[in-house]
Amino acid sequence: MNSIDRRTLLLAGLGAAGAGTLAACTSGSPATPSALIDPSGPAVAAADKQRKHTGRTHQVTLTAAPAVLDLGGGVTAKSWAFGGRTPGREIRLSAGDTLAAELSNQLPGRTATSLHWHGIALRNDMDGVPPVTQRTVRAGANLTYRFVADTPGTYFVHPHVGVQLDRALYAPLIVEDPREPMAYDDEWVVVLDDWADGVTGTPDEVLAELRHGMGGMTMGGGSGSGGTGGHDMGDMGGMDMGAASPSPSAPAASGGMASRFMLMGAESKLLGGDAGDVKYPYHLVNGRVPADPDVYRSRPGRRVRLRLVNAGGDTAYRVALGGHRMTVTHTDGFPVEHQQVDALLIGMGERYDVLVTLADGVFPLVALAEGKNATGMAVVRTGPGAAPEATVRPQELDGRILTASRLRAADDVRLDSREADRVHRVELTGGMAMYNWTVNGKAFDMDDPTADPLTVEEGERVRLDFVNTTQMWHPMHLHGHTYQLDGGGPRKDTAVVLPQQKLSVVFDADNPGQWMLHCHNAYHAEVGMMALVAYRS
């Protein structure tokens, strides 16, 4: 298998001139068909002028560079990270502020990258999606993203190139509400992640193995511990030059490649069957392994807002705080009718805000890797006592478990009831046999991204009918908008579509441009489970 695919070559070529301002990075990119609104065109500028802004500018720099990460418990990993840490340093601003974020690409070789502001309804040319809204940012170059963040909520930032998301290139982004209606004493941002990079191999090696599909696997190879130590061979667009071949430490197998990374037998009733594709040696909470967890210190009786972010590549997490119930208040940044639960299920790309009144003692916050028989853990300490065991599984994990389908949007954000002006059927297709995850039977064409878009017009009410024909669940993420689950459900930008099920969502076409719609399983998206939602001019 040739490890340099068409997408990589395109992105590397685009990245060669991608330095300085975003306008410079966009020049020379594939032309927008005249029937579609250009990501930097007058319609986008006009919509951006309507955003309420404070006049304040919040400036940050995100330096993407190789790093040796301390994951705790003696575990280190050679990866790529923002500012040499995982998660990257939290970005926090107030609704209406302008964010001016400079990306400094110090990644090795010819590795191109970008920044996508996950969940933010921002101006289209700042969305960070090569080659649709910008060129990639080449190694050694800088680029400044500038946009108004006018909607409060819990978001995060990550690249939109290759499978770079499954490294440490992510950071939470919190947009505070200056008129916050909820009363609480403190906040704790909790970022969940599944981790293999620099331990058993790189994400590009994972992808290379998965691309062989079930037909190319000889099961029983084990996860291995030799790996590559995270060494990269002059990446182009995030693809490992040597990713096509298994590591020398991987067992040889006649008739196929040994399974170092492909996960077999992961089952979950909550996810409708197959729970995931990839086996990870660690599951992290705020960048720490369970043997040496992140510790949140507070006092009994304090009311704390937890902002939960799933930044993983292939894992849904069932989250519970031992000895406590949680009141769910928001999902994907938008308020919901409050519900009290024992645990909640978070797919990749989803975020939930919950309120907890802390008891006296030491308690485990456990993120069960759904269907994978593994956990991540952090600790809440409000008094003396021994730390929980790394393998603890509080009874709340098996209590009342919340999924998004059980939520309703709060009155002030619920969309008004009206008929859809336009309906798109979005069939989720493909499977593990050939590892050919697609939308409507087609892999997204990075050479010609506007070839077959799902078109909308500004002002329309749009309904997307996700029809999952596969045996796998898919967290479907729409850029630039927040949709509502049909029937008064929650407002979200990422929603789990269960296998062999249909999920309808509606949104108002109020943010012109060209926007990605894709599965937020990093590996499903990379092989083609993406589509373009494009506004007609």
Side-chain angles (χ1 to χ4, degrees), residues 31-102:
T32 295
S34 59
L36 302 180
I37 286 178
D38 187 274
S40 297
V44 172
D48 195 51
K49 287 183 179 179
Q50 302 302 312
R51 303 184 198 279
K52 296 179 180 179
H53 57 88
T54 63
R56 296 189 299 263
T57 298
H58 187 83
Q59 294 184 324
V60 298
T61 298
L62 291 95
T63 300
V68 177
L69 303 173
D70 177 7
L71 305 182
V75 180
T76 60
K78 188 176 182 182
S79 185
W80 302 341
F82 292 132
R85 51 177 287 172
T86 184
R89 192 174 302 279
E90 173 190 302
I91 302 169
R92 187 175 286 259
L93 63 162
S94 185
D97 290 354
T98 296
L99 181 63
E102 182 181 29

Side-chain angles (χ1 to χ4, degrees), residues 114-140:
S114 74
L115 292 180
H116 167 59
W117 308 91
H118 183 106
I120 297 283
L122 73 177
R123 56 177 296 144
N124 190 213
D125 54 7
M126 296 291 144
D127 195 40
V129 181
V132 176
T133 65
Q134 67 163 95
R135 292 179 173 225
T136 52
V137 182
R138 63 178 174 82

Side-chain angles (χ1 to χ4, degrees), residues 427-442:
E427 283 198 14
L428 311 180
T429 45
M432 287 292 293
M434 301 296 293
Y435 211 77
N436 59 340
W437 304 107
T438 53
V439 172
N440 291 333
K442 297 180 180 178

Side-chain angles (χ1 to χ4, degrees), residues 220-482:
S223 62
S225 60
T228 64
H231 293 289
D232 300 293
M233 308 298 290
D235 290 21
M236 296 172 62
M239 178 60 71
D240 232 331
M241 294 286 285
S245 301
S247 164
S249 65
S254 60
M257 190 164 69
S259 173
R260 289 175 62 205
F261 306 112
M262 185 180 284
L263 181 65
M264 302 299 295
E267 293 288 330
S268 165
K269 290 183 180 180
L270 286 176
L271 296 174
D274 191 348
D277 301 339
V278 182
K279 51 190 171 187
Y280 290 92
Y282 297 107
H283 295 273
L284 310 181
V285 179
N286 286 344
R288 308 290 293 182
V289 299
D292 188 5
D294 182 42
V295 179
Y296 177 78
R297 301 179 187 275
S298 188
R299 298 194 305 272
R302 300 274 286 180
R303 189 170 169 87
V304 179
R305 180 180 190 167
L306 276 64
R307 296 180 182 264
L308 301 160
V309 179
N310 185 348
D314 178 75
T315 306
Y317 290 101
R318 190 190 311 189
V319 180
L321 177 59
H324 295 75
R325 301 199 83 200
M326 301 180 290
T327 300
V328 178
T329 64
H330 296 71
T331 180
D332 293 0
F334 277 70
V336 297
E337 294 180 355
H338 292 190
Q339 286 200 39
Q340 196 171 67
V341 301
D342 297 299
L344 57 121
L345 185 70
I346 311 181
M348 297 84 75
E350 289 188 290
R351 293 90 62 211
Y352 283 88
D353 292 17
V354 303
L355 291 176
V356 176
T357 300
L358 298 180
D360 189 1
V362 186
F363 308 96
L365 178 77
V366 175
L368 173 69
E370 184 65 30
K372 295 187 176 184
N373 194 32
T375 58
M377 187 184 75
V379 169
V380 173
R381 180 177 287 277
T382 63
E389 295 290 332
T391 55
V392 66
R393 297 199 179 187
Q395 62 182 6
E396 286 80 5
L397 288 170
D398 297 313
R400 184 172 187 264
I401 304 167
L402 182 123
T403 59
S405 61
R406 297 173 60 178
L407 290 170
R408 288 185 58 81
D411 289 343
D412 58 338
V413 299
R414 188 176 299 132
L415 296 180
D416 62 298
S417 179
R418 58 181 270 206
E419 289 295 316
D421 302 299
R422 190 179 300 265
V423 178
H424 284 293
R425 181 181 173 92
V426 184
E427 283 198 14
L428 311 180
T429 45
M432 287 292 293
M434 301 296 293
Y435 211 77
N436 59 340
W437 304 107
T438 53
V439 172
N440 291 333
K442 297 180 180 178
F444 187 72
D445 188 351
M446 295 299 294
D447 288 339
D448 191 4
T450 60
D452 191 21
L454 306 174
T455 58
V456 301
E457 293 186 9
E458 192 168 2
E460 289 183 331
R461 171 66 57 83
V462 182
R463 191 178 85 222
L464 302 177
D465 291 334
F466 295 116
V467 181
N468 188 352
T469 69
T470 79
Q471 301 301 314
M472 181 74 181
W473 66 284
H474 302 286
M476 296 303 296
H477 174 52
L478 175 62
H479 289 209
H481 302 76
T482 298

